[in-house]
Amino acid sequence: MSYESYFKEHREEHLEELKQWLTIPSISALSAHKEDVLTAANWLLDTLKRAGLENIELHPTAGHPVIYADYLHAPGQPTILVYGHYDVQPVDPLNLWTTPPFEPNIRDGKLYARGATDDKGQVFVHIKALEAILKQEGTLPVNIKLCIEGEEEIGSANLPPFLEANKAKLAADAVLVSDTSLLERGRPAICTGLRGLCSLEVIVSTASTDLHSGSFGGGVPNALHALVSLLTSLHDDKGRVSVDGFYKGVPELSPMMREEFTKQGVDEDKIRQNLGLEALYGEEGYTFVERVGARPTLELNGVFGGFQGEGSKTVIPKEAHAKITCRLVGDQDPQAILDAIETHLKANLQVGARLQVKQMEKARAFNIDPSHPILQTAADAYGKVYGTRALFTKDGGSIPIMESFSRVLEAPVVLMGFGLDDENLHAPDEHFNLENFDMGLLTIVEFLKAL
């Protein structure tokens, strides 16, 4: 039986099984759901056993457990480590869901539920692809290991130590991940870069109390004025970050990568109109898709201080705050970036003001050369199933654990996603387009056999 016929024959059975997993509210961020996260992990254990995988283990961590399984019966063939996660985001606001988030519902060819696309649905595609090959052929064409965690939605804090402690167990020739998206319906993509991240909070203070602007205005420093002046100094008038050393480690875009960006055919004017903007804005010399995928940023996420209520209150505020995040690329070092920004802020602080900087998140960028043979094989696999070869993209977001896999296991990471950007991941009415569920199964089979 062809794989296409096999998956058609078992489609309803597979979807009913996936629905069972999606009913489990495995919200890792909420302590009230700790037992639900464990229930989802145990459900996965049983499903892997039924699929025919071996050496299935639940590894406790300081948080939620990691699931391991393998099937190592292809001597001389590559070993592929499949990574994914079984935890999901909180569901708020609940009133914006058309149907309850943990009561899976199929409408218009889409499966609606929290976790449907991020990431239970995409992990399930791998499990059923492996099960199909085992049932059809009695063995797998390559060696397979799986590492499925329960903390991705809260930063994967316990996974890097697990990787370090289990390097031999997890050793592989490549890491395969489905937690990204197609460019759009019918246009597959392989992500070759994810931006890193660092964040900080800035507090500028002046007097010991808010002051009357009539009695003291013009004679004392104003915390809001000082903060605004400080924040303005972080960029030049061409959208480039003005912090010394900020661009250390940022690679120039290769001609191949710029060509891949061009092939995406992004309509900047359509983006502008859809966002209700008068104009797009960013670092001079780069297109929109290059700016958001392959260039670093320094963004203000919140600025606040002084009186913010209705009406007028004529005060000179004693304190003002700003929250800042940077998206990082290439070999930028998050700690070095935070230190450079702090140095810049101290050097540009207005006279009479005091500065406090709270350094917070840190994550390195992930990158892989799109010319790597395994990525070319993956692009071909998409082409055979979707009828169009995958393009190579760079994603502006961050999945910090990808850099850890690449560095600790010294293996290329292949990001073969089957989601779509409009599937409301992290939002109400999250869903998974079932045409990509169907084609994802065939693409994974094609990829593993091609290896």
Side-chain angles (χ1 to χ4, degrees):
M1 182 187 297
S2 71
Y3 282 99
E4 190 169 359
S5 298
Y6 174 90
F7 288 125
K8 282 182 179 178
E9 181 179 313
H10 293 276
R11 189 175 194 262
E12 293 309 311
E13 170 195 332
H14 289 166
L15 288 176
E16 286 304 312
E17 196 174 347
L18 174 55
K19 285 180 182 179
Q20 292 174 17
W21 203 17
L22 293 170
T23 64
I24 305 170
S26 50
I27 304 170
S28 55
L30 303 178
S31 58
H33 287 280
K34 184 174 182 178
E35 287 303 313
D36 294 315
V37 178
L38 182 58
T39 298
N42 284 318
W43 186 97
L44 179 58
L45 284 175
D46 293 340
T47 302
L48 293 171
K49 289 174 186 173
R50 290 195 303 272
L53 291 155
E54 300 174 344
N55 301 311
I56 301 162
E57 302 162 355
L58 184 148
H59 292 269
T61 72
H64 301 300
V66 175
I67 303 298
Y68 173 86
D70 63 34
Y71 193 90
L72 308 174
H73 298 286
Q77 298 303 323
T79 297
I80 306 301
L81 175 67
V82 177
Y83 164 79
H85 64 93
Y86 61 87
D87 64 320
V88 300
Q89 281 277 325
V91 298
D92 310 88
L94 190 59
N95 65 300
L96 295 183
W97 287 81
T98 304
T99 52
F102 297 110
E103 295 179 19
N105 183 270
I106 294 176
R107 305 191 299 274
D108 302 321
K110 301 171 184 177
L111 175 59
Y112 286 81
R114 174 58 89 225
T117 190
D118 182 23
D119 184 39
K120 286 179 179 175
Q122 297 200 58
V123 169
F124 191 75
V125 165
H126 286 272
I127 297 169
K128 290 300 155 183
L130 294 171
E131 180 182 85
I133 300 173
L134 285 168
K135 287 189 173 180
Q136 293 269 87
E137 304 184 30
T139 191
L140 297 178
V142 295
N143 300 296
I144 287 287
K145 299 177 180 180
L146 294 98
C147 175
I148 315 297
E149 68 156 323
E151 296 185 325
E152 194 274 344
E153 299 292 7
I154 52 173
S156 302
N158 292 295
L159 192 56
F162 179 81
L163 297 183
E164 293 282 1
N166 293 275
K167 285 171 71 171
K169 177 190 281 287
L170 299 172
D173 296 294
V175 180
L176 176 59
V177 183
S178 293
D179 197 10
T180 51
S181 301
L182 309 180
L183 274 175
E184 58 187 28
R185 186 178 175 184
R187 296 186 69 202
I190 296 172
C191 179
T192 65
L194 292 160
R195 292 196 287 192
L197 178 73
C198 64
S199 66
L200 63 154
E201 182 174 354
V202 178
I203 303 170
V204 170
S205 57
T206 50
S208 58
T209 184
D210 289 352
L211 299 170
H212 190 291
S213 68
S215 301
F216 293 95
V220 296
N222 180 313
L224 275 173
H225 289 185
L227 179 64
V228 170
S229 172
L230 201 53
L231 299 180
T232 301
S233 75
L234 292 169
H235 292 85
D236 66 18
D237 59 3
K238 295 182 179 179
R240 188 174 172 86
V241 177
S242 300
V243 175
D244 285 345
F246 183 83
Y247 290 93
K248 183 179 180 180
V250 176
E252 287 301 318
L253 280 173
S254 68
M256 177 183 178
M257 203 65 242
R258 291 202 108 146
E259 184 181 350
E260 290 294 317
F261 279 131
T262 301
K263 286 178 184 176
Q264 292 180 33
V266 172
D267 186 337
E268 293 195 1
D269 197 53
K270 183 178 179 181
I271 292 171
R272 179 189 62 77
Q273 291 177 8
N274 288 343
L275 296 176
L277 292 169
E278 293 296 319
L280 298 178
Y281 177 80
E283 188 182 2
E284 190 176 84
Y286 297 92
T287 64
F288 171 83
V289 70
E290 289 170 347
R291 288 170 184 162
V292 301
R295 297 296 294 171
T297 66
L298 188 156
E299 297 285 359
L300 307 182
N301 308 124
V303 179
F304 51 97
F307 177 66
Q308 297 175 59
E310 185 178 354
S312 175
K313 184 180 182 184
T314 55
V315 297
I316 298 172
K318 68 165 187 171
E319 192 170 283
H321 301 246
K323 292 182 183 291
I324 300 172
T325 54
C326 300
R327 298 288 179 169
L328 310 178
V329 302
D331 291 323
Q332 283 182 295
D333 180 345
Q335 185 60 60
I337 295 297
L338 288 172
D339 291 343
I341 294 171
E342 186 166 346
T343 298
H344 175 95
L345 294 172
K346 289 176 179 176
N348 288 273
L349 184 63
Q350 195 178 90
V351 172
R354 296 184 300 277
L355 177 71
Q356 182 182 356
V357 176
K358 297 179 181 178
Q359 298 188 8
M360 296 185 290
E361 299 161 287
K362 289 177 285 188
R364 284 185 172 270
F366 159 75
N367 293 283
I368 185 171
D369 185 345
S371 66
H372 194 291
I374 198 165
L375 267 64
Q376 296 297 320
T377 301
D380 290 338
Y382 274 116
K384 289 184 178 179
V385 175
Y386 280 81
T388 181
R389 197 171 189 268
L391 291 176
F392 296 106
T393 63
K394 288 188 180 293
D395 195 316
S398 305
I399 309 178
I401 199 62
M402 292 302 98
E403 186 275 336
S404 297
F405 270 111
S406 177
R407 173 175 44 81
V408 175
L409 301 184
E410 299 180 342
V413 176
V414 187
L415 290 161
M416 294 181 72
F418 299 100
L420 287 170
D421 283 338
D422 63 359
E423 289 179 333
N424 291 5
L425 60 164
H426 295 204
D429 277 355
E430 178 182 348
H431 58 276
F432 191 11
N433 281 262
L434 293 181
E435 69 176 11
N436 290 321
F437 174 81
D438 298 331
M439 290 198 280
L441 290 163
L442 294 169
T443 303
I444 294 301
V445 169
E446 182 65 43
F447 175 60
L448 297 178
K449 290 174 72 67
L451 289 175

